[in-house]
Amino acid sequence: MSRPLSRYLPILDWGRTYDRATLSNDLIAALIVTIMLIPQSLAYALLAGLPPEMGLYASIAPIILYAIFGTSRALAVGPVAVVSLMTAAAIGDVAAAGTAGYIAAAITLAALSGGILLLMGVFRLGFLANFLSHPVIAGFITASGVLIAASQLKHILGIDAGGHTLIELVESLWRHLPETNMITLGLGAAATGFLFWVRKGLKPLLLGVGLSKRAADIGTKAGPVAAVVVTTVTVWLFDLDAQGVNIVGDVPQSLPPLTMPNLSLDLVQALFIPALLISIIGFVESISVAQTLAAKKRQRIDPDQELIGLGAANIGAAFTGGYPVTGGFSRSVVNFDAGAQTPAAGAYTAIGLALAALALTPLIFFLPKATLAATIIVAVLSLVDFGILKRTWTYSRADFLAVLTTIVLTLGFGVEVGVSAGVIISIFLHLYTSSKPHIAEVGLVAGTQHFRNIKRHKVLTFPTLLTLRIDESLYFANVRYLEDYIYDRVIADKNLRDVVLMCSAINEIDMSALESLEAINARLRDLGMRLHLSEVKGPVMDRLQRSHFLDDLTGEVFLSQYDAHHALGAGGLKPTLPADG
């Protein structure tokens, strides 16, 4: 009983071997991640247009629930930049920022996202994320990073500006630029510069003064906290809030409250599509990070169980005053590098954040929003990768077009249009490429039993024999292409007597493809030719044997292409040796 139960509760697996050494490593990792998450959680809530405490709330219960249900031992779950931006775009359409309805919509969005992820996990639909190509995801995240950074410039400048697209943001920023608060700009610019320097320059400095690597790591991760402390004290000492510097203000000093999502039909209908998109993007980002980190320790990630873990985390966020969460790249890498051994490190991080929510919130009353904006800008600019355009242009023009379209639409029309376009483009590219399968005319490599493309290799062929290797499964979208290819090839060659379809790369033949094969067989028979198959895989043959196709087949089914070549080319005709192609 314990074995199948541990599949759904991974904590029962790693919990059996938990010891004092693992506890020590997890506690140290939790300390480092907690230090990093305090300002980051506040900042991401600001990005979503929500009260800062909701960032802390969204980082407590979700982490604990993921530790119970998730399969990654290093993934750190909580608010992330892209999901925060998508949250702001989604709930901004149904309620005004700063209102109770806006907060309720964010909580409901988390509940819907959690429910979608749970259902996908229960029905084992993790494979659906594969339809969102990584180049498209990279393009979307790059465009989102630019949008996020642009949206935070208003806090750096101390002005009132807004917009959901890059054009709207730039226009609004330009219009309000004369209203810039120079003190806010000074604080924001200093915090931004300091945080950029922390990423590259602080650790070598700490190592240079004799600190250990572990101490230097902790000091580097504490850099954002130092920026928070210094700017907060500066605002308090010089009473800068009275001079127009926007501050966080009152933050409730409490543990996450018990909240209930608003599941009214109108709100659910308005938020369902955004929740679906957030779920897909969040899962793709999370599973990519989890699998990358797991591979470094030869651990296994179960995508379907990850859906359940992330679903539980979002449900937890909905009932504890949070908003949609997923596995974050930066915090997970920090967690991994800090030595986290099990998901318990995340639970200890949640405890640290709960203590911060109880004890530290009064201390951030004078925290300038410009510092939180600087934290966001520095974090998201590391996600911006315009190099993906050059790489895809070099490797695949179709992928380049998909990435470019995703970036342009996200910047020009907002995140929902961008991610929707990314999903549609990914599916379209899959259908387009698979609808025109690679078909190679092959011949025998002299002195071997191997067959290769006649355009790439010197091979032996027979004038009466045509062998085609189909490098794709056959289904409704590509069988017409195969039919046309065969007809165009055979109609102009009066010497042909036999056509062999080499099926070594075919993993599936659906009903439409079966009907096309029957049509090809009949057409070739009318032309006085026979159709043969070779190297048919077992599962494909099993299905063909359940139909009448093999009974009506004019030719044979050969175990290997060499057998077909030997049998059908044994009519005494001399093999030909094509020139290089």
Side-chain angles (χ1 to χ4, degrees):
M1 181 67 182
S2 62
R3 184 178 296 272
L5 188 59
S6 66
R7 175 181 176 183
Y8 298 101
L9 292 172
I11 190 174
L12 299 179
D13 181 23
W14 57 262
R16 293 192 192 98
T17 58
Y18 205 79
D19 55 24
R20 183 173 296 180
T22 306
L23 171 64
S24 175
N25 289 329
D26 283 348
L27 285 173
I28 293 172
L31 173 64
I32 295 173
V33 175
T34 300
I35 291 171
M36 184 188 76
L37 283 189
I38 291 173
Q40 196 178 80
S41 298
L42 298 171
Y44 287 152
L46 179 72
L47 173 60
L50 296 165
E53 64 270 16
M54 289 187 70
L56 290 175
Y57 298 161
S59 300
I60 297 176
I63 298 179
I64 296 174
L65 287 167
Y66 179 81
I68 296 172
F69 294 101
T71 59
S72 172
R73 301 198 176 193
L75 191 70
V77 172
V80 300
V82 172
V83 170
S84 297
L85 179 65
M86 295 179 70
T87 296
I91 61 180
D93 292 334
V94 298
T99 64
Y102 191 88
I103 295 173
I107 291 171
T108 301
L109 190 64
L112 290 175
S113 180
I116 291 169
L117 288 165
L118 281 175
L119 285 174
M120 289 176 67
V122 169
F123 290 102
R124 308 186 71 78
L125 300 179
F127 70 91
L128 292 177
N130 297 332
F131 288 98
L132 200 57
S133 72
H134 284 281
V136 166
I137 284 290
F140 172 71
I141 291 177
T142 291
S144 297
V146 172
L147 278 180
I148 291 168
S151 73
Q152 296 308 296
L153 289 177
K154 65 181 181 182
H155 297 296
I156 299 292
L157 298 171
I159 61 178
D160 183 19
H164 293 299
T165 69
L166 186 62
I167 295 173
E168 291 175 354
L169 284 168
V170 171
E171 187 275 331
S172 182
L173 287 168
W174 179 258
R175 184 158 33 89
H176 291 281
L177 192 61
E179 304 166 13
T180 299
N181 183 295
M182 299 310 296
I183 299 176
T184 301
L185 176 58
L187 286 171
T192 304
F194 172 75
L195 291 174
F196 272 118
W197 173 78
V198 162
R199 290 201 159 207
K200 296 289 181 70
L202 183 56
K203 185 174 180 178
L205 178 65
L206 295 176
L207 291 173
V209 299
L211 289 182
S212 66
K213 185 176 183 298
R214 177 60 62 89
D217 282 335
I218 295 176
T220 302
K221 301 305 181 293
V225 177
V228 167
V229 171
V230 171
T231 55
T232 301
V233 170
T234 300
V235 171
W236 171 66
L237 279 177
F238 297 100
D239 198 24
L240 297 182
D241 59 311
Q243 300 181 50
V245 174
N246 291 322
I247 59 175
V248 170
D250 283 314
V251 176
Q253 189 176 0
S254 67
L255 291 173
L258 179 63
T259 53
M260 292 294 293
N262 177 4
L263 299 179
S264 65
L265 183 59
D266 290 342
L267 185 60
V268 169
Q269 288 178 336
L271 294 179
F272 180 78
I273 296 300
L276 179 62
L277 296 175
I278 286 173
S279 300
I280 294 173
I281 291 295
F283 174 64
V284 170
E285 180 177 354
S286 180
I287 198 69
S288 299
V289 176
Q291 290 178 335
T292 299
L293 297 179
K296 294 182 178 181
K297 290 190 175 181
R298 298 188 178 184
Q299 295 168 348
R300 179 179 174 273
I301 299 298
D302 181 348
D304 294 312
Q305 184 61 31
E306 283 296 287
L307 284 166
I308 293 175
L310 292 172
N314 277 278
I315 294 293
F319 284 94
T320 56
Y323 67 100
V325 298
T326 192
F329 177 77
S330 59
R331 70 184 66 185
S332 298
V333 171
V334 169
N335 197 35
F336 181 86
D337 290 342
Q341 298 294 309
T342 71
Y348 303 145
T349 299
I351 294 173
L353 292 171
L355 293 174
L358 277 175
L360 300 182
T361 49
L363 302 179
I364 63 173
F365 180 90
F366 290 101
L367 171 60
K369 290 184 177 181
T371 302
L372 295 180
T375 302
I376 294 173
I377 290 172
V378 173
V380 300
L381 286 183
S382 65
L383 303 175
V384 174
D385 177 23
F386 283 109
I388 188 69
L389 290 171
K390 180 180 179 181
R391 294 193 298 274
T392 52
W393 174 264
T394 302
Y395 187 77
S396 168
R397 299 298 165 83
D399 280 336
F400 168 80
L401 181 62
V403 172
L404 181 63
T405 303
T406 302
I407 291 176
V408 170
L409 290 179
T410 302
L411 293 177
F413 297 94
V415 291
E416 288 190 9
V417 172
V419 71
S420 299
V423 173
I424 293 171
I425 290 170
S426 294
I427 296 174
F428 174 79
L429 279 178
H430 168 73
L431 292 175
Y432 177 77
T433 54
S434 64
S435 70
K436 294 185 176 182
H438 180 256
I439 301 174
E441 184 172 341
V442 299
L444 179 66
V445 178
T448 74
Q449 295 187 13
H450 299 293
F451 289 79
R452 293 292 183 267
N453 193 330
I454 66 172
K455 295 181 179 180
R456 294 177 178 269
H457 303 272
K458 291 184 176 180
V459 293
L460 299 173
T461 61
F462 289 93
T464 59
L465 175 62
L466 171 66
T467 299
L468 300 176
R469 189 190 68 224
I470 306 159
D471 296 331
E472 182 75 55
S473 290
L474 297 178
Y475 71 116
F476 63 91
N478 64 15
V479 288
R480 176 65 64 180
Y481 181 83
L482 175 64
E483 283 189 53
D484 293 341
Y485 185 97
I486 292 176
Y487 296 157
D488 290 342
R489 175 63 181 84
V490 303
I491 202 70
D493 195 336
K494 304 301 183 182
N495 295 319
L496 285 179
R497 294 293 177 266
D498 294 285
V499 176
V500 181
L501 298 185
M502 186 175 173
C503 305
S504 54
I506 297 178
N507 298 316
E508 175 75 16
I509 296 178
D510 74 359
M511 193 65 191
S512 297
L514 177 63
E515 292 175 355
S516 287
L517 289 177
E518 291 173 342
I520 292 170
N521 182 59
R523 182 75 173 270
L524 292 178
R525 181 181 57 219
D526 294 341
L527 293 173
M529 303 180 196
R530 295 183 298 173
L531 175 66
H532 311 266
L533 305 180
S534 73
E535 302 190 9
V536 182
K537 293 184 176 179
V540 177
M541 179 61 78
D542 291 341
R543 298 184 69 173
L544 292 179
Q545 288 175 336
R546 294 199 295 268
S547 71
H548 295 291
F549 173 71
L550 297 180
D551 296 330
D552 298 330
L553 186 65
T554 54
E556 301 179 48
V557 178
F558 294 95
L559 183 64
S560 72
Q561 179 55 37
Y562 183 77
D563 292 342
H565 185 87
H566 182 73
L568 301 175
L573 293 173
K574 184 178 180 181
T576 59
L577 190 65
D580 289 338

